[in-house]
Amino acid sequence: MDRRDGPYGEVVLRRRGTGDDAVHEIIANGCFLMDTSDGRSERLLVDAALAALPADRAEPAVLIGGLGVGFSLARAAEEPRWGRITVVEREPAVIGWHRAGPLGAISARALADPRAEIVEGDLLSVLGHVRTAPVRYDALCLDIDNGPDWTVTESNDSLYSPPGLAACRERLTPGGVLAVWSARPSARFEQALRNAGFEGVRTEEIAVARGVPDVVHLGQRAA
């Protein structure tokens, strides 16, 4: 449907099927990233983060790293408890496919929500500005690349490194939650979260028809 040269290489939007059965796919530099066929694990990313927050925390703010096909944003906007919803996406093509393209079928209502804001930029750069722009969030929900153990774009590795996880921790309010989507479970990443000072580290799984499950890794900043 569309092919563009973005700041990090080629991005492609494809469609499989027609009508109500059509599935849209995002391809980056020739590698499949995500599609609209399911969305359960992307929704879990937001639901699990909210569930881990104290029940009495009023109007918590969430930052979603990666717009993707829009499932996480749409899920956040369905939940009235969130007070502020910020999405950081570095590919202008992806943002365009939502604002004036076929992916708007998933995200249009969320994009019209006054709580929601789309920020075009690199997530690690946004997180690293905490000292000059000390905006903090109650939850960080990261769906970047294919997760910590398999990145299509090499620069995304730094997000899951000790400095990247430290930047995430500093962006969280006390008791705030980091939720990280991954295409497969990673005991190594669980340990990396503990080493970075996160508490209550755990993993929630979404079973798939074949192969290893999609997962959400969770950790909490000390209260």
Side-chain angles (χ1 to χ4, degrees), residues 6 11 38 42 60 65 68 70 78 87 112 114 137 147 149 162 164 167 174 179 183 209 211-212 223:
V11 286
D38 193 336
E42 291 93 336
E78 289 172 355
V87 181
Y137 299 88
D149 281 353
V212 297

Side-chain angles (χ1 to χ4, degrees), residues 11-198:
V11 286
V12 175
L13 181 66
R14 293 178 180 169
R15 182 182 63 203
R16 290 186 285 108
T18 59
D20 293 339
D21 295 326
V23 173
H24 292 89
E25 303 175 337
I26 296 177
I27 312 295
N29 295 319
C31 185
F32 171 84
L33 282 185
M34 61 196 71
D35 64 24
T36 59
S37 63
D38 193 336
R40 289 175 300 152
S41 58
E42 291 93 336
R43 297 181 185 103
L44 174 65
L45 180 70
V46 174
D47 291 347
L50 184 62
L53 288 171
D56 60 354
R57 185 162 300 197
E59 298 187 336
V62 58
L63 184 150
I64 298 172
L67 176 56
V69 296
F71 286 133
S72 295
L73 168 60
R75 186 64 155 199
E78 289 172 355
E79 173 52 64
R81 187 178 162 195
W82 291 117
R84 179 162 47 96
I85 303 166
T86 301
V87 181
V88 177
E89 172 57 56
R90 70 182 190 176
E91 291 288 354
V94 172
I95 297 173
W97 294 332
H98 282 275
R99 287 181 170 160
L103 298 182
I106 295 172
S107 61
R109 182 176 296 180
L111 290 174
D113 192 309
R115 298 171 298 164
E117 175 190 18
I118 305 296
V119 175
E120 182 183 326
D122 179 75
L123 178 61
L124 198 56
S125 296
V126 172
L127 293 173
H129 290 164
V130 66
R131 290 178 178 82
T132 57
V135 177
R136 286 183 167 81
Y137 299 88
D138 300 288
L140 299 179
C141 296
L142 309 187
D143 185 358
I144 301 297
D145 221 307
N146 285 312
D149 281 353
W150 178 29
T151 52
V152 175
T153 304
E154 186 175 346
S155 61
N156 286 333
D157 291 342
S158 60
L159 178 62
Y160 305 114
S161 69
L165 293 177
C168 290
R169 188 186 64 245
E170 289 304 308
R171 274 291 188 173
L172 288 169
T173 57
V177 177
L178 173 64
V180 178
W181 184 93
S182 179
R184 59 190 180 198
S186 175
R188 181 193 63 80
F189 185 65
E190 285 186 342
Q191 188 57 50
L193 288 172
R194 296 185 183 96
N195 293 343
F198 287 95

